[in-house]
Amino acid sequence: MAKVFVYGSLKKGQPNHSSMMDHANGQAEFVAHARTVDRYPLVIATKYNVPLLLNVPGTGQHVTGEIYSVDQQMLDYLDWFEKCPLMYQRSLIRLEVQDGPGGGEHTPKTGSADGPGGGEHTPKAGSSLEAFVYSTETYEPEWLQNTTYENYEAYGDHGLHFVRREDRSPE
């Protein structure tokens, strides 16, 4: 099992979360809420108002999101879903756990030795761990001037409403 940090449309309550929970795509279990140890620019860009984590550590915000433990099938699905490596690149990132056991969510007890953080017990609030994240090094230079966000909500106060893939016009 591998750990994956999601910060955008794949989070609970967001438009693409059902993809994470669809067993046809593989297995995914919620582990904890977390935030990035380093700052990153989380911007909303493109004509579809997509949340993008720009791989520019040290700028932007400490981004909050969710950690999931996923099997290889789900990791392969997420690579496809995130158009990895063309649009997003999957890399390891250091996270600070915001809530662990007792945080009101079901948390798996153990991982396995073959993924990031594998073999660890349930992470405790305040601890840190590594997980995969989908961020991008291939972005329009002007995106660095966009407002950065600590937290993403598809229909948040920013007024930039996310357009789901199935609702997008063909390019």
Side-chain angles (χ1 to χ4, degrees):
M1 299 292 279
K3 288 186 177 50
V4 175
F5 177 69
V6 297
Y7 53 83
S9 70
L10 291 168
K11 295 187 314 181
K12 288 179 189 166
Q14 299 305 303
N16 290 318
H17 181 68
S18 60
S19 296
M20 292 281 295
M21 298 296 99
D22 185 344
H23 293 298
N25 298 331
Q27 300 295 313
E29 288 188 66
F30 177 83
V31 174
H33 291 97
R35 74 177 202 151
T36 60
V37 169
D38 289 327
R39 295 176 183 274
Y40 288 88
L42 172 59
V43 300
I44 301 172
T46 80
K47 65 183 179 180
Y48 302 117
N49 297 319
V50 174
L52 296 147
L53 189 68
L54 307 184
N55 193 353
V56 186
T59 63
Q61 312 281 329
H62 294 282
V63 177
T64 61
E66 301 166 351
I67 302 170
Y68 286 84
S69 181
V70 303
D71 66 4
Q72 187 61 49
Q73 181 181 345
M74 179 61 75
L75 195 59
D76 292 343
Y77 171 80
L78 291 172
D79 282 353
W80 171 83
F81 183 84
E82 300 290 8
K83 298 180 183 170
C84 182
L86 299 175
M87 182 170 175
Y88 290 96
Q89 295 77 49
R90 176 168 40 101
S91 59
L92 287 172
I93 191 171
R94 186 128 278 326
L95 302 165
E96 179 184 334
V97 176
Q98 299 296 296
D99 61 4
E105 302 284 352
H106 170 71
T107 322
K109 294 293 182 198
T110 60
S112 68
D114 59 351
E120 295 178 350
H121 293 284
T122 304
K124 305 269 189 265
S127 67
S128 68
L129 58 80
E130 282 189 330
F132 287 121
V133 68
Y134 292 91
S135 62
T136 186
E137 297 173 351
T138 54
Y139 52 85
E140 300 296 325
E142 62 269 16
W143 293 356
L144 284 172
Q145 306 307 313
N146 289 16
T147 301
T148 62
Y149 297 91
E150 173 183 298
N151 186 34
Y152 174 80
E153 298 294 329
Y155 307 107
D157 294 344
H158 46 70
L160 302 169
H161 298 298
F162 178 79
V163 178
R164 293 176 52 106
R165 282 186 185 179
E166 54 269 18
D167 297 330
R168 298 175 188 173
S169 58
E171 297 292 325

CSV table of all heavy atoms in Angstrom, one decimal, residues 5-17 42 51-52 63-66 152-154 162:
chain,number,residue,atom,x,y,z
A,5,PHE,N,-1.4,11.9,-1.0
A,5,PHE,CA,-2.0,13.1,-0.4
A,5,PHE,C,-2.8,13.8,-1.5
A,5,PHE,O,-2.3,14.1,-2.6
A,5,PHE,CB,-0.8,14.1,0.0
A,5,PHE,CG,-1.3,15.4,0.5
A,5,PHE,CD1,-2.0,15.5,1.7
A,5,PHE,CD2,-1.0,16.6,-0.2
A,5,PHE,CE1,-2.3,16.8,2.2
A,5,PHE,CE2,-1.4,17.8,0.3
A,5,PHE,CZ,-2.0,17.9,1.5
A,6,VAL,N,-4.1,14.0,-1.2
A,6,VAL,CA,-5.0,14.7,-2.2
A,6,VAL,C,-5.4,16.1,-1.6
A,6,VAL,O,-5.6,16.2,-0.4
A,6,VAL,CB,-6.2,13.9,-2.6
A,6,VAL,CG1,-5.8,12.6,-3.3
A,6,VAL,CG2,-7.1,13.5,-1.4
A,7,TYR,N,-5.4,17.1,-2.4
A,7,TYR,CA,-5.6,18.4,-2.0
A,7,TYR,C,-6.7,19.2,-2.8
A,7,TYR,O,-7.0,20.3,-2.5
A,7,TYR,CB,-4.3,19.2,-2.1
A,7,TYR,CG,-3.8,19.2,-3.5
A,7,TYR,CD1,-4.2,20.0,-4.5
A,7,TYR,CD2,-2.8,18.2,-3.8
A,7,TYR,CE1,-3.7,19.9,-5.8
A,7,TYR,CE2,-2.3,18.1,-5.1
A,7,TYR,CZ,-2.8,19.0,-6.1
A,7,TYR,OH,-2.3,18.8,-7.4
A,8,GLY,N,-7.3,18.5,-3.8
A,8,GLY,CA,-8.2,19.2,-4.7
A,8,GLY,C,-9.5,18.5,-4.8
A,8,GLY,O,-10.2,18.1,-3.9
A,9,SER,N,-9.8,18.2,-6.1
A,9,SER,CA,-11.2,17.6,-6.4
A,9,SER,C,-11.3,16.2,-6.0
A,9,SER,O,-12.4,15.7,-6.0
A,9,SER,CB,-11.4,17.7,-7.9
A,9,SER,OG,-10.5,16.8,-8.6
A,10,LEU,N,-10.3,15.5,-5.5
A,10,LEU,CA,-10.4,14.1,-5.0
A,10,LEU,C,-10.7,14.1,-3.5
A,10,LEU,O,-11.0,13.0,-3.0
A,10,LEU,CB,-9.1,13.4,-5.3
A,10,LEU,CG,-8.9,13.1,-6.8
A,10,LEU,CD1,-7.4,12.6,-7.0
A,10,LEU,CD2,-9.9,12.1,-7.3
A,11,LYS,N,-10.7,15.2,-2.8
A,11,LYS,CA,-11.0,15.2,-1.4
A,11,LYS,C,-12.4,14.9,-1.1
A,11,LYS,O,-13.3,15.0,-2.0
A,11,LYS,CB,-10.7,16.5,-0.7
A,11,LYS,CG,-9.2,16.9,-0.7
A,11,LYS,CD,-9.0,18.2,0.1
A,11,LYS,CE,-10.0,19.3,-0.2
A,11,LYS,NZ,-9.7,20.5,0.5
A,12,LYS,N,-12.7,14.4,0.1
A,12,LYS,CA,-14.1,14.2,0.5
A,12,LYS,C,-15.0,15.5,0.3
A,12,LYS,O,-14.5,16.6,0.6
A,12,LYS,CB,-14.2,13.9,2.0
A,12,LYS,CG,-13.7,12.5,2.3
A,12,LYS,CD,-13.7,12.2,3.8
A,12,LYS,CE,-13.0,10.9,4.1
A,12,LYS,NZ,-12.7,10.8,5.5
A,13,GLY,N,-16.2,15.3,-0.3
A,13,GLY,CA,-17.1,16.4,-0.5
A,13,GLY,C,-16.8,17.1,-1.8
A,13,GLY,O,-17.5,18.1,-2.1
A,14,GLN,N,-15.7,16.7,-2.5
A,14,GLN,CA,-15.4,17.4,-3.8
A,14,GLN,C,-15.8,16.5,-5.0
A,14,GLN,O,-16.1,15.3,-4.9
A,14,GLN,CB,-13.9,17.7,-3.8
A,14,GLN,CG,-13.4,18.6,-2.7
A,14,GLN,CD,-14.2,19.9,-2.6
A,14,GLN,OE1,-14.2,20.6,-3.6
A,14,GLN,NE2,-14.8,20.2,-1.5
A,15,PRO,N,-15.9,17.2,-6.2
A,15,PRO,CA,-16.5,16.5,-7.3
A,15,PRO,C,-15.9,15.2,-7.8
A,15,PRO,O,-16.7,14.3,-8.3
A,15,PRO,CB,-16.3,17.5,-8.5
A,15,PRO,CG,-16.1,18.8,-7.8
A,15,PRO,CD,-15.5,18.5,-6.5
A,16,ASN,N,-14.7,14.9,-7.6
A,16,ASN,CA,-14.1,13.6,-8.0
A,16,ASN,C,-13.8,12.6,-6.9
A,16,ASN,O,-13.2,11.6,-7.2
A,16,ASN,CB,-12.8,13.9,-8.8
A,16,ASN,CG,-13.1,14.6,-10.1
A,16,ASN,OD1,-14.0,14.2,-10.8
A,16,ASN,ND2,-12.3,15.6,-10.5
A,17,HIS,N,-14.3,12.9,-5.7
A,17,HIS,CA,-14.0,12.0,-4.6
A,17,HIS,C,-14.5,10.6,-4.9
A,17,HIS,O,-13.9,9.6,-4.5
A,17,HIS,CB,-14.6,12.5,-3.3
A,17,HIS,CG,-14.3,11.6,-2.1
A,17,HIS,ND1,-13.0,11.4,-1.6
A,17,HIS,CD2,-15.1,10.9,-1.4
A,17,HIS,CE1,-13.1,10.6,-0.6
A,17,HIS,NE2,-14.3,10.2,-0.4
A,42,LEU,N,-0.7,26.5,-4.4
A,42,LEU,CA,-1.9,25.8,-4.8
A,42,LEU,C,-2.7,26.9,-5.5
A,42,LEU,O,-3.2,27.8,-4.9
A,42,LEU,CB,-2.7,25.2,-3.6
A,42,LEU,CG,-4.1,24.6,-4.0
A,42,LEU,CD1,-4.0,23.5,-5.0
A,42,LEU,CD2,-4.7,24.1,-2.7
A,51,PRO,N,-7.7,22.9,-9.7
A,51,PRO,CA,-6.7,23.1,-8.6
A,51,PRO,C,-5.4,22.5,-9.1
A,51,PRO,O,-5.4,21.3,-9.4
A,51,PRO,CB,-7.3,22.4,-7.4
A,51,PRO,CG,-8.1,21.3,-8.0
A,51,PRO,CD,-8.7,21.9,-9.3
A,52,LEU,N,-4.3,23.2,-9.0
A,52,LEU,CA,-3.0,22.7,-9.4
A,52,LEU,C,-2.0,23.1,-8.3
A,52,LEU,O,-1.9,24.2,-7.9
A,52,LEU,CB,-2.5,23.4,-10.7
A,52,LEU,CG,-3.4,23.1,-11.9
A,52,LEU,CD1,-3.4,24.3,-12.9
A,52,LEU,CD2,-2.9,21.9,-12.7
A,63,VAL,N,-0.3,23.7,2.3
A,63,VAL,CA,-1.5,23.2,1.7
A,63,VAL,C,-2.1,22.1,2.6
A,63,VAL,O,-1.4,21.2,2.9
A,63,VAL,CB,-1.3,22.8,0.3
A,63,VAL,CG1,-2.5,22.2,-0.3
A,63,VAL,CG2,-0.7,23.9,-0.5
A,64,THR,N,-3.4,22.2,2.8
A,64,THR,CA,-4.1,21.1,3.6
A,64,THR,C,-4.8,20.2,2.6
A,64,THR,O,-5.2,20.5,1.5
A,64,THR,CB,-5.2,21.7,4.6
A,64,THR,OG1,-6.1,22.4,3.8
A,64,THR,CG2,-4.5,22.6,5.6
A,65,GLY,N,-4.9,18.9,3.1
A,65,GLY,CA,-5.6,17.9,2.3
A,65,GLY,C,-5.8,16.6,3.1
A,65,GLY,O,-5.8,16.7,4.3
A,66,GLU,N,-5.9,15.5,2.4
A,66,GLU,CA,-6.2,14.2,3.0
A,66,GLU,C,-5.2,13.2,2.5
A,66,GLU,O,-4.8,13.2,1.3
A,66,GLU,CB,-7.6,13.8,2.6
A,66,GLU,CG,-8.7,14.7,3.1
A,66,GLU,CD,-10.0,14.5,2.4
A,66,GLU,OE1,-10.1,13.7,1.5
A,66,GLU,OE2,-11.0,15.1,2.8
A,152,TYR,N,-8.5,23.9,-0.7
A,152,TYR,CA,-9.3,24.0,-1.9
A,152,TYR,C,-10.7,23.5,-1.7
A,152,TYR,O,-10.8,22.4,-1.2
A,152,TYR,CB,-8.6,23.2,-3.1
A,152,TYR,CG,-9.5,23.2,-4.3
A,152,TYR,CD1,-9.5,24.3,-5.2
A,152,TYR,CD2,-10.3,22.1,-4.6
A,152,TYR,CE1,-10.3,24.2,-6.3
A,152,TYR,CE2,-11.1,22.0,-5.7
A,152,TYR,CZ,-11.1,23.1,-6.6
A,152,TYR,OH,-11.9,23.1,-7.7
A,153,GLU,N,-11.7,24.2,-2.2
A,153,GLU,CA,-13.1,23.7,-2.2
A,153,GLU,C,-13.5,24.1,-3.6
A,153,GLU,O,-13.4,25.2,-4.1
A,153,GLU,CB,-13.9,24.4,-1.2
A,153,GLU,CG,-13.5,24.2,0.2
A,153,GLU,CD,-13.7,22.7,0.7
A,153,GLU,OE1,-14.6,22.1,0.2
A,153,GLU,OE2,-12.9,22.3,1.5
A,154,ALA,N,-14.1,23.1,-4.4
A,154,ALA,CA,-14.5,23.3,-5.7
A,154,ALA,C,-15.5,24.5,-5.9
A,154,ALA,O,-15.4,25.1,-7.0
A,154,ALA,CB,-15.1,22.0,-6.3
A,162,PHE,N,-15.2,24.8,-10.3
A,162,PHE,CA,-14.6,23.7,-11.0
A,162,PHE,C,-15.5,23.1,-12.0
A,162,PHE,O,-16.7,22.9,-11.8
A,162,PHE,CB,-14.2,22.6,-9.9
A,162,PHE,CG,-13.6,21.4,-10.5
A,162,PHE,CD1,-12.3,21.3,-10.8
A,162,PHE,CD2,-14.4,20.2,-10.6
A,162,PHE,CE1,-11.7,20.2,-11.3
A,162,PHE,CE2,-13.8,19.1,-11.1
A,162,PHE,CZ,-12.4,19.0,-11.4
